[in-house]
Amino acid sequence: MTKSRKKFDATFKARIALEALREVATVPELAKRHGIHPNQIYGWKKQVLDNLASLFARGASALGMARRSTSARRRSFIPRSAS
């Protein structure tokens, strides 16, 4: 009987990698707490650090568009005074 591999979603990986970057606990402590191998956390942490610059490079225009549409939605919900 073969043991199937665990699959972790992106949200879980990001949360664990951010915990590792904060350095509140050591990577082995985090691994033990979450039941995963420390090498996985080191890998996820490296991925975050390697891709951090690209988040700001290409995400600037996309983020601006998202903010504009959100603020437009907020304005539509603001009650207007009867003057």
Side-chain angles (χ1 to χ4, degrees), residues 6-43:
K6 291 183 184 179
K7 296 179 183 171
F8 303 105
D9 64 340
T11 306
F12 177 78
K13 292 177 184 180
R15 188 169 46 88
I16 302 302
L18 286 175
E19 283 185 49
L21 286 170
R22 287 187 189 120
E23 296 181 346
V24 174
T26 64
V27 170
E29 289 171 346
L30 289 173
K32 188 174 183 178
R33 186 181 322 146
H34 296 288
I36 56 179
H37 197 276
N39 286 346
Q40 286 181 308
I41 297 177
Y42 286 120

Side-chain angles (χ1 to χ4, degrees), residues 15-80:
R15 188 169 46 88
I16 302 302
L18 286 175
E19 283 185 49
L21 286 170
R22 287 187 189 120
E23 296 181 346
V24 174
T26 64
V27 170
E29 289 171 346
L30 289 173
K32 188 174 183 178
R33 186 181 322 146
H34 296 288
I36 56 179
H37 197 276
N39 286 346
Q40 286 181 308
I41 297 177
Y42 286 120
W44 297 339
K45 184 177 169 181
K46 184 179 182 324
Q47 279 184 316
V48 168
L49 292 173
D50 290 346
N51 295 315
L52 197 57
S54 65
L55 173 70
F56 292 105
R58 67 176 170 204
S61 63
L63 183 60
M65 291 297 291
R67 283 187 181 160
R68 275 188 233 124
S69 65
T70 302
S71 62
R73 275 186 264 138
R74 285 185 190 146
R75 281 193 300 259
S76 67
F77 292 115
I78 298 173
R80 298 177 191 225

